[in-house]
Amino acid sequence: MESLNNNTLIEYDPYTSATKVIEFPGISHNKEYLICGIDYSPATQTLYISANARAPWWNPGSDSMGWNLTGPNRLIHYSPLNASVLWTADVDSLVEATERRLGALIGGFQDVAEDRDGNAYYAISWSNIILKLDVHGRASKFYEPPRADMDTRTYGFGGWFVSADNVLVLSDGVTHRFARFDLSGPNPAEPTWSAPANHPEGYATALWCDSLIAAKGFGEKVALCADVFDQMIAPHGIIAVYYSDDGWRSSEYIGAVPVDFEQAPGAWSTATFEALGRSYALTSALPYELGRFPEVEKTPLVDITDNISQLLKERKSRGVGSVDELQYPMEM
């Protein structure tokens, strides 16, 4: 887990409940950065950590995001087995060259996902440009939307994952659609787009995901979108739940898990993750109400597996889906 306020990682051993703080020289305790994305790659058995600019996400005295698209951005490749940094990629020169060519600032790195070959995909939320970093940390542009479609002032790609079929799926808050890249196909950098069915009327923040995962415990047929912006259902947002049975060529919204947990009163949930076949909501203390990052003694991890299973049952009761789907979560 990452600690937003001081840019460290927290290593937790569920068997002993022991914790260890991992620091990164020049980044930890440096207010220019915000470590707000971390992903485990099964292909390399390593972690990819987004140490991105803090300014696009948080500036003291303001609760608005996306107006200050400046600051340094690094992607850290870390080996938990060796407790060492394998490389740190500085993508600023590539970003700056792109800004000069476009005549506009871009920014808002936060998450990362990796393909089966160990390449990392690092997207920019304000512009929807995707960078690709190879196994040596060399960065190049993977995808850039047509200039007429590019919106550098609206929150776009917010969460993404690479499926077991080597398909990159991203949530887009600009179009309220999923973008799908077949990384093993003949045109890996050409996306197809699809809008989920059954979004509720008035759901203005649909697919404004702070993170997005495909839950392996549900056969990667369920995607969990941490939506901290929606306040229709709960004051601190929801975990929006999506379903697809065709490899995310199409999808549907099947409901939401409100972020209103007894274990963490007043918390937000900026991400979800899996462990031992169960799905968890990570709870966070964010600065939007107090104007600063609150100091907390604990950040509970809330098991939402049963909530997701219930949404699948309700979907089945509406005459959609098969009985087999209700056997999830699968044993890992």
Side-chain angles (χ1 to χ4, degrees):
M1 298 179 291
E2 74 270 11
S3 176
L4 288 173
N5 192 30
N6 58 22
N7 300 325
T8 60
L9 294 190
I10 309 299
E11 182 179 282
Y12 171 71
D13 186 335
Y15 300 103
T16 65
S17 296
T19 59
K20 183 177 90 171
V21 177
I22 302 170
E23 298 194 350
F24 302 98
I27 292 175
S28 296
H29 310 286
N30 183 339
K31 296 302 183 182
E32 286 190 290
Y33 291 95
L34 192 67
I35 287 185
C36 65
I38 178 172
D39 196 57
Y40 175 76
S41 170
T44 59
Q45 296 184 318
T46 54
L47 297 176
Y48 290 80
I49 302 154
S50 177
N52 45 264
R54 181 176 293 242
W57 303 108
W58 163 244
N59 291 275
S62 173
D63 60 0
S64 298
M65 297 186 299
W67 62 269
N68 183 359
L69 302 180
T70 64
N73 297 284
R74 307 288 185 268
L75 184 64
I76 302 169
H77 190 195
Y78 180 82
S79 170
L81 296 177
N82 299 324
S84 63
V85 173
L86 302 177
W87 48 254
T88 299
D90 179 344
V91 300
D92 289 345
S93 60
L94 182 55
V95 170
E96 291 164 2
T98 303
E99 289 174 333
R100 288 193 296 269
R101 177 170 52 79
L102 295 175
L105 293 178
I106 59 176
F109 290 97
Q110 58 171 326
D111 284 336
V112 60
E114 303 78 42
D115 64 22
R116 60 175 53 151
D117 297 317
N119 300 299
Y121 298 85
Y122 199 27
I124 308 175
S125 294
W126 283 276
S127 74
N128 280 0
I129 291 173
I130 305 173
L131 305 186
K132 178 180 178 179
L133 291 93
D134 68 15
V135 294
H136 303 292
R138 295 175 297 214
S140 61
K141 185 184 71 176
F142 174 73
Y143 170 75
E144 180 178 314
R147 189 65 180 94
D149 298 335
M150 185 184 297
D151 188 342
T152 61
R153 305 307 304 164
T154 302
Y155 185 72
F157 289 157
W160 48 96
F161 61 83
V162 175
S163 71
D165 294 329
N166 215 34
V167 171
L168 172 65
V169 179
L170 304 96
S171 61
D172 180 28
V174 175
T175 65
H176 306 292
R177 297 185 294 174
F178 284 119
R180 182 184 188 274
F181 295 83
D182 185 351
L183 301 178
S184 298
N187 301 298
E190 294 183 10
T192 56
W193 299 81
S194 64
N198 302 330
H199 271 146
E201 184 177 353
Y203 186 15
T205 63
L207 292 179
W208 285 25
C209 306
D210 203 350
S211 71
L212 183 73
I213 70 166
K216 292 179 175 60
F218 291 92
E220 294 194 336
K221 292 184 176 183
V222 168
L224 306 176
C225 163
D227 180 356
V228 300
F229 304 98
D230 177 74
Q231 296 183 345
M232 292 175 56
I233 297 176
H236 285 181
I238 60 175
I239 306 297
V241 183
Y242 294 88
Y243 179 86
S244 174
D245 60 4
D246 61 2
W248 298 97
R249 293 174 178 83
S250 65
S251 62
E252 63 177 293
Y253 171 91
I254 64 170
V257 179
V259 178
D260 187 14
F261 304 129
E262 292 181 5
Q263 303 94 320
W268 307 71
S269 184
T270 57
T272 56
F273 70 98
E274 286 187 289
L276 301 176
R278 307 290 293 182
S279 297
Y280 294 86
L282 177 68
T283 59
S284 302
L286 297 181
Y288 302 129
E289 292 173 341
L290 299 177
R292 57 180 174 78
F293 280 93
E295 293 186 7
V296 296
E297 295 182 357
K298 58 182 180 179
T299 53
L301 310 176
V302 181
D303 190 335
I304 59 172
T305 312
D306 293 342
N307 306 75
I308 300 166
S309 296
Q310 181 60 36
L311 291 174
L312 286 170
K313 291 177 182 178
E314 293 171 2
R315 178 178 183 272
K316 175 63 171 61
S317 71
R318 297 192 295 268
V320 183
S322 67
V323 175
D324 289 344
E325 293 163 11
L326 303 185
Q327 304 305 311
Y328 299 128
M330 302 164 63
E331 292 187 6
M332 301 295 283

